[in-house]
Amino acid sequence: MIDWISQYDPIVQALIGTLFTWGVTALGASMVFFFKTINKTVLNGMLGFAAGVMIAASFWSLLAPGIDMAEELGQTAWLTAAIGFLAGGGFLYLIDKLLPHLHMGLDTSEAEGIKTKWQRSVLLVLAITLHNIPEGLAVGVAFGAAASGQIGTASIAGAVALAIGIGLQNFPEGAAVSIPLRREGFSRKKAFLYGQASGIVEPISGVLGAFAVITMRPILPYALAFAAGAMIYVVIEELIPEAQREEGGSKTDIATIGAMVGFTVMMILDVALG
């Protein structure tokens, strides 16, 4: 697979990688054709797994290569990483405050962002769409970094590993969108369409990320840290609280175990392939 994808332009590589992650989201959303409900404990484990993957990817696939490149360019590595990381979190914070969205299990009156009269279904999908933006961006930036040839630790294999890791955690995310929508009265077809639509931003943000770092290579260390910061923001602001909501005792342990497993899987993928 790595030899096959390496023959393409980096932007096309990013597109292929993020189309894969979007496809896995759609595959997860297709679970609505087999199940009408999803157990909260299972959902906790899924969200925990996604959080673990994103945390591991943020360091091994993004921050570490970004720091290496900053050092090679003669930049103050810790400052570059800090600026990019905080900028990524700040960017997601602004989107979170501006874009109307609603988390699963909450009443429409508790929707976040600018007040709107959009339908509940749209608000629910937008909540998941929010954290697919940094995921697509991360994959695009990773392929762009590999193409630059300026970072010894950045390779197409590493970018492919990141795309696989993001894809793995997109499967439960797709199910976590479509199945609750089915429970709220949507037809299976409509719930599936809404569920897979939450991942459509990944190819868009992936291509934009790859294009930006290829055309403006001096920003690459900042871009890598930016993507990492955006992903960590999503983990802390959304995935972890969502996994812990309305549960207590040993039931929340499932989310913790899921996070540990997800972190380990992404670490193995990145170290073994990258």
Side-chain angles (χ1 to χ4, degrees), residues 100-115:
H101 62 283
L102 177 67
H103 296 291
M104 293 290 178
L106 299 182
D107 187 80
T108 307
S109 62
E110 298 180 78
E112 300 178 28
I114 296 175
K115 297 301 179 183

Side-chain angles (χ1 to χ4, degrees), residues 133 197 216 231:
I133 294 174
M216 298 177 285
M231 289 178 70

Side-chain angles (χ1 to χ4, degrees), residues 230-243:
M231 289 178 70
I232 292 297
Y233 181 91
V234 167
V235 170
I236 297 173
E237 195 274 338
E238 182 174 342
L239 294 182
I240 292 177
E242 197 80 29

Side-chain angles (χ1 to χ4, degrees), residues 67-87:
I67 290 172
D68 288 343
M69 183 177 185
E71 291 175 342
E72 291 175 12
L73 292 176
Q75 300 174 358
T76 304
W78 63 265
L79 183 60
T80 297
I83 291 173
F85 186 83
L86 293 176

Side-chain angles (χ1 to χ4, degrees), residues 17-143:
T18 48
L19 283 175
F20 165 74
T21 61
W22 180 20
V24 180
T25 301
L27 188 61
S30 71
M31 292 298 101
V32 74
F33 292 109
F34 306 98
F35 306 98
K36 187 175 182 179
T37 61
I38 183 169
N39 183 275
K40 184 61 170 66
T41 301
V42 173
L43 180 59
N44 284 352
M46 290 179 172
L47 293 172
F49 180 86
V53 168
M54 292 177 72
I55 292 171
S58 295
F59 178 73
W60 271 282
S61 300
L62 300 169
L63 271 178
I67 290 172
D68 288 343
M69 183 177 185
E71 291 175 342
E72 291 175 12
L73 292 176
Q75 300 174 358
T76 304
W78 63 265
L79 183 60
T80 297
I83 291 173
F85 186 83
L86 293 176
F91 173 72
L92 259 291
Y93 174 81
L94 289 176
I95 292 182
D96 191 53
K97 296 301 178 185
L98 294 175
L99 184 66
H101 62 283
L102 177 67
H103 296 291
M104 293 290 178
L106 299 182
D107 187 80
T108 307
S109 62
E110 298 180 78
E112 300 178 28
I114 296 175
K115 297 301 179 183
T116 180
K117 294 183 179 180
W118 290 352
Q119 293 182 354
R120 175 180 173 85
S121 56
V122 175
L123 295 173
L124 288 169
V125 172
L126 284 177
I128 300 296
T129 302
L130 266 177
H131 69 72
N132 282 336
I133 294 174
E135 291 173 6
L137 180 64
V139 174
V141 169
F143 277 107

Side-chain angles (χ1 to χ4, degrees), residues 32 36 119-122 124 178 180-191 194:
V32 74
K36 187 175 182 179
Q119 293 182 354
R120 175 180 173 85
S121 56
V122 175
L124 288 169
S178 63
L181 288 177
R182 171 62 177 162
R183 189 175 63 242
E184 292 194 10
F186 284 70
S187 68
R188 284 188 168 89
K189 182 178 179 180
K190 191 173 182 179
Y194 273 94

